[in-house]
Amino acid sequence: MEDYFQQLARSWRSVTSRTVREAVAVLLLLIVVLGSGFSALTTYANLVVFDENRFTEELAGIFDNENVHRLVAASFTATTVEMADLPVTPAGAAGAAQTIEQEIPAVVAALLTDAGNDRLLERAVRQAHGDVLATESGAVAAGSPVRSVRVDLGPIFNQMLNEIAANEELAFLRAAVPPADAGELTVLQRAEPADRFWEFLGQLQDRRSSTITLILLCGIGSLLISPSRTRVVWSIGTGIVAMAGILGVGIYGSRALLAVLIDDTDTVRVAQSIHEALLGDLSGRLVDMALIGVLMIVAGAALSWLWRRFGPTPPEETAVARSEARPVV
């Protein structure tokens, strides 16, 4: 009887220890899964958002978009109409605004798709990337913080002005002096309610290496602590697949949210085009992340079956089996 109680006590201690180890392993698994999602974002941000060459490459074809043509044409038209109202406007040219509105869209579309302007447009995107970094870091320019991302299409505006001035009705524009900000478009504005977004971007850049290190340590720790190491493998895989799905839903949800946050239809479409261009890389990484998770699930399930089929019997099961087999006196 005494041996029975001793075996039962050892079995209880073993079960209690197993429960504690499983709880700690689950906690570490949660950190691994959440960290994997954050790591995917940090890797994407480091390779695309904060890298000027990759940023420019991803947006290389944005000026072929018809929605971008309409948005740029609308901005150029507004600026040119203002110029037409300056004192240099000759008598009888008050109706030139209608001609300007008719001429500019086709000229802008041709200039933005002209291979001869590729270098100018690439330079504009690189300057915009500099604004992104300055806006994210709160850099100061001309005595005040940089709070907007602008695309400088001044050279394209000047080309457009020369072409439409070939029209006799608009020839007076040759004598007009464009404003200093002619051709500049604000594509993103940092506002107080959205400051957390910019702070989050900064965190993505600053915490990439520490996040990856934390994932590795917690993953190894969960494998060492957990009573069932094979279950850890497929559990991590399941969590990674779920995290990839959550981030994927977030990407498409944020794209749809643009239509709610922006009033102008053309602006919404341009913003969505930029969204697709920049986040296409992240979408691909999430697919890879989900595939890795599926492989871990399959590997973990296979290892678990092999261990149960061919592995040793757990000590607590052996102790219980012996106690059940021993006759009660």
Side-chain angles (χ1 to χ4, degrees):
M1 179 65 70
E2 183 178 354
D3 291 342
Y4 170 77
F5 283 115
Q6 289 178 350
Q7 291 176 3
L8 188 62
R10 284 196 297 269
S11 176
W12 172 255
R13 286 196 298 269
S14 177
V15 171
T16 303
S17 174
R18 182 185 181 91
T19 303
V20 172
R21 289 164 60 195
E22 285 183 344
V24 175
V26 168
L27 178 61
L28 294 177
L29 285 175
L30 288 175
I31 296 175
V32 170
V33 171
L34 294 176
S36 66
F38 193 79
S39 178
L41 293 176
T42 56
T43 302
Y44 155 75
N46 186 67
L47 294 179
V48 178
V49 177
F50 296 109
D51 184 85
E52 180 179 319
N53 292 328
R54 186 63 181 277
F55 182 91
T56 304
E57 178 185 340
E58 295 294 330
L59 292 178
I62 196 66
F63 291 107
D64 294 330
N65 190 296
E66 293 182 359
N67 297 312
V68 174
H69 297 171
R70 284 194 288 268
L71 190 65
V72 174
S75 175
F76 283 13
T77 299
T79 302
T80 307
V81 168
E82 290 180 6
M83 291 171 57
D85 290 335
L86 294 174
V88 297
T89 306
Q98 184 176 358
T99 305
I100 290 173
E101 293 174 356
Q102 294 172 347
E103 291 274 340
I104 287 182
V107 174
V108 166
L111 291 174
L112 291 179
T113 54
D114 185 356
N117 286 325
D118 286 349
R119 287 292 184 89
L120 292 175
L121 297 175
E122 179 183 337
R123 188 181 306 125
V125 174
R126 290 184 182 275
Q127 290 173 347
H129 180 262
D131 280 354
V132 169
L133 297 184
T135 304
E136 176 270 324
S137 63
V140 176
S144 60
V146 178
R147 300 190 64 82
S148 62
V149 178
R150 301 174 68 85
V151 176
D152 184 6
L153 298 178
I156 305 296
F157 180 87
N158 292 332
Q159 292 181 35
M160 177 275 300
L161 201 60
N162 290 332
E163 290 203 23
I164 65 171
N167 185 320
E168 292 183 0
E169 187 177 351
L170 302 177
F172 67 91
L173 289 173
R174 296 173 184 170
V177 179
D181 61 349
E184 289 190 4
L185 286 77
T186 299
V187 295
L188 192 61
Q189 185 76 36
R190 177 167 181 167
E192 293 298 333
D195 274 354
R196 290 185 179 180
F197 167 76
W198 295 100
E199 292 171 359
F200 180 66
L201 277 182
Q203 292 174 357
L204 290 182
Q205 186 180 26
D206 297 338
R207 300 183 180 178
R208 177 171 176 263
S209 58
S210 59
T211 301
I212 294 176
T213 301
L214 180 63
I215 291 173
L216 292 175
L217 292 177
C218 290
I220 294 173
S222 62
L223 284 172
L224 295 176
I225 293 175
S226 176
S228 178
R229 295 180 176 86
T230 55
R231 185 166 57 188
V232 169
V233 176
W234 65 257
S235 295
I236 292 177
T238 303
I240 288 176
V241 171
M243 181 56 65
I246 292 172
L247 292 177
V249 171
I251 289 176
Y252 289 104
S254 62
R255 183 184 184 279
L257 187 62
L258 293 173
V260 178
L261 299 176
I262 304 174
D263 296 331
D264 184 72
T265 302
D266 287 338
T267 306
V268 169
R269 291 173 179 171
V270 171
Q272 290 178 338
S273 298
I274 295 174
H275 181 284
E276 292 171 0
L278 287 179
L279 293 183
D281 180 90
L282 179 57
S283 298
R285 291 182 184 280
L286 292 181
V287 172
D288 294 340
M289 179 177 170
L291 290 176
I292 291 173
V294 170
L295 289 176
M296 293 184 69
I297 293 173
V298 173
L303 290 173
S304 179
W305 180 84
L306 290 173
W307 184 261
R308 288 196 306 269
R309 181 70 176 80
F310 302 106
T313 304
E316 58 271 20
E317 292 183 11
T318 302
V320 171
R322 288 177 178 175
S323 63
E324 291 177 351
R326 182 184 297 275
V328 179
V329 180

